[in-house]
Amino acid sequence: MKRYCYTLDLKDDPAVIAEYEKIHRSIWPEIHKSIIDAGITVMDIYRTGNRLFMIMEVDDTFTFERKEAMDAASPIVQKWEAYMWTFQQAIPTAKPGEKWVLMHQIFSL
């Protein structure tokens, strides 16, 4: 099983952060299904301040290209992503158009 870690910022506004957390307590069923269908077996999101940290564990069917194609083909995923972007902002090191930024592991015990 592979693990990937990402980071992203929320807009630094307590009301925005509270609403984002509320939404994630009960994500849309279609989004839940799209995550599972892509081969993601674990997805956890943590927050400190307005910084988010996401851990994804994936099975052998997962590829970034397959996930990207599935998301691009799904109007509901596109709607969700656009909605989430109203709460989110790129981290300073993100490339243009990049939302969640893949982190590189520097230590493991």
Side-chain angles (χ1 to χ4, degrees):
M1 185 136 329
K2 291 186 179 180
R3 178 182 303 149
Y4 299 101
C5 298
Y6 291 87
T7 190
L8 174 71
D9 283 348
L10 294 173
K11 294 177 180 172
D12 199 6
D13 177 321
V16 167
I17 293 169
E19 183 65 16
Y20 190 82
E21 287 189 2
K22 179 182 172 189
I23 291 164
H24 279 79
R25 285 192 287 274
S26 182
I27 65 170
W28 301 350
E30 300 90 347
I31 299 306
H32 184 270
K33 183 177 182 331
S34 77
I35 292 167
I36 301 298
D37 289 351
I40 299 167
T41 59
V42 174
M43 181 181 279
D44 296 319
I45 300 175
Y46 296 84
R47 181 184 67 79
T48 182
N50 70 317
R51 177 72 37 101
L52 299 177
F53 175 69
M54 178 171 62
I55 302 169
M56 272 181 14
E57 292 182 3
V58 301
D59 65 23
D60 292 336
T61 68
F62 178 86
T63 67
F64 291 106
E65 296 79 13
R66 181 170 166 263
K67 174 75 168 111
E68 186 176 319
M70 290 172 69
D71 290 352
S74 171
I76 195 77
V77 170
Q78 294 302 308
K79 182 178 179 180
W80 173 265
E81 289 299 329
Y83 180 41
M84 290 303 100
W85 191 240
T86 66
F87 300 92
Q88 301 165 334
Q89 60 185 12
I91 65 168
T93 58
K95 297 173 185 147
E98 186 176 34
K99 290 175 70 168
W100 286 97
V101 175
L102 183 62
M103 300 176 77
H104 301 283
Q105 183 177 19
I106 63 166
F107 177 79
S108 179
L109 181 67

